[in-house]
Amino acid sequence: MKDVMLWAGAGQIGMAIARRMGYGMKIIVGDKKLENAQSTARIMNEAGYDVVPMEMDLSSRESIQGLIAEGQKYGAITMLVNAAGVSPSQASVEAILKVDLYGTAVLLEEVGKVIAPGGVGVTISSQSGWRMPALAADEDELLATTPAEELLSLDILRPERIRDTLHAYQMAKRCNEKRVMAEAVKWGRRGARLNAIAPGIIVTPLALDEFNGPRGNFYKNMFANCPAGRPGTADEVANAAELLMGNKGAFITGSTFLIDGGATASYFYGPLKPKAEE
């Protein structure tokens, strides 16, 4: 038997974290596209890791339970890496809310039922949720604590309240951060920790879709005018995950770490600040 890492979303950020934290473990990687999971597993296994690929749909509780059940065949689940999701240029409002908002809530809830004492989880959120105006305290609490199966029925998530795919994405990421806080309390009862990372522009295939999509100039301007002056890399996200998931992060739980090269700071107080007419 081995300690088990559950890893959702077979992309570059997830792989960077899995490579950093998953040595000596059994790693179960699930992705909506089985071929993505298989390709990633092959790369990892050829580098000495022990990875099993499987198809997993983050928007399906049954599929998430299948990922967990597969992991439990090999040992105690001690780590969760959730890097699954869709972006504003890739999906509809409905899909973004179903995958990024509902699906993440279900995954954190289901893994929280089985995570081993001393276990840790990290979920990938986004800087995007930080640029949306603040919600009312009762709205934040609803996003944090509403049973997952009722989330998409909340008044603030009704289709007529969502302006476009970017707004849906921002709401999803705001919800992710609030769910991490609420779920960290539950994980803590099992002696486990849970945090989120909110990356800015990280060069991945998903980001390249954005660069080449309708909002491409917006993103290029963002990293050109953030304090770092560049986009980030998946390994820089993994640097933060290594802190959050390791012993040095033992007092960190229920938090979201913003890793965006200062883009959010510039959005509020620098050259990225929207003009009044915008």
Side-chain angles (χ1 to χ4, degrees), residues 176-231:
N176 292 168
E177 292 161 20
K178 298 303 176 183
R179 298 302 284 198
V180 162
M181 293 178 74
E183 286 294 334
V185 176
K186 299 175 185 176
W187 283 46
R189 297 183 191 124
R190 299 180 62 88
R193 297 186 295 109
L194 174 65
N195 292 290
I197 295 174
I201 305 298
I202 307 296
V203 179
T204 65
L206 184 148
L208 293 174
D209 279 351
E210 293 291 337
F211 295 160
N212 296 315
R215 296 172 55 78
N217 288 335
F218 171 84
Y219 286 100
K220 291 169 186 172
N221 178 62
M222 186 186 298
F223 66 71
N225 285 290
C226 73
R230 64 171 177 85

Side-chain angles (χ1 to χ4, degrees), residues 2 13 52 65 109 112-113 139 149 155 168 179 203 218 242 274:
K2 284 186 174 184
I13 291 176
V52 175
Q65 290 170 336
E109 176 185 303
K113 296 174 183 177
E139 292 174 327
E149 296 305 321
D155 185 62
R179 298 302 284 198
V203 179
F218 171 84
E242 186 174 19

Side-chain angles (χ1 to χ4, degrees), residues 127-135 163 167 170-171 174 267-268:
Q127 63 171 355
S128 199
W130 292 58
R131 291 199 305 276
M132 188 176 70
L135 298 175
R163 295 187 301 275
H167 185 211
Q170 290 176 332
M171 288 295 288
R174 181 69 59 85
Y267 178 85
F268 284 104

Side-chain angles (χ1 to χ4, degrees), residues 134-171:
L135 298 175
D138 60 333
E139 292 174 327
D140 277 340
E141 185 167 355
L142 286 171
L143 289 178
T145 62
T146 298
E149 296 305 321
E150 299 172 21
L151 265 173
L152 297 181
S153 300
L154 288 177
D155 185 62
I156 57 173
L157 297 177
R158 289 204 323 264
E160 60 268 27
R161 298 283 299 272
I162 304 295
R163 295 187 301 275
D164 52 28
T165 58
L166 178 61
H167 185 211
Y169 188 73
Q170 290 176 332
M171 288 295 288

Side-chain angles (χ1 to χ4, degrees), residues 3-85:
D3 285 348
V4 175
M5 171 190 284
L6 298 180
W7 163 19
Q12 293 293 321
I13 291 176
M15 178 154 58
I17 297 171
R19 290 178 77 105
R20 195 72 59 88
M21 301 305 300
Y23 40 82
M25 302 183 74
K26 191 77 175 186
I27 303 172
I28 313 298
V29 58
D31 196 277
K32 180 77 177 292
K33 295 181 179 178
L34 179 58
E35 59 268 29
N36 288 351
Q38 291 170 330
S39 173
T40 297
R42 183 170 61 252
I43 292 168
M44 294 281 288
N45 288 333
E46 289 175 354
Y49 294 85
D50 184 3
V51 184
V52 175
M54 65 181 294
E55 186 175 342
M56 190 216 70
D57 179 358
L58 187 62
S59 70
S60 162
R61 185 180 293 269
E62 184 179 14
S63 188
I64 288 168
Q65 290 170 336
L67 181 78
I68 293 169
E70 181 67 22
Q72 289 175 316
K73 294 177 184 177
Y74 301 99
I77 294 169
T78 61
M79 286 189 181
L80 168 68
V81 176
N82 177 31

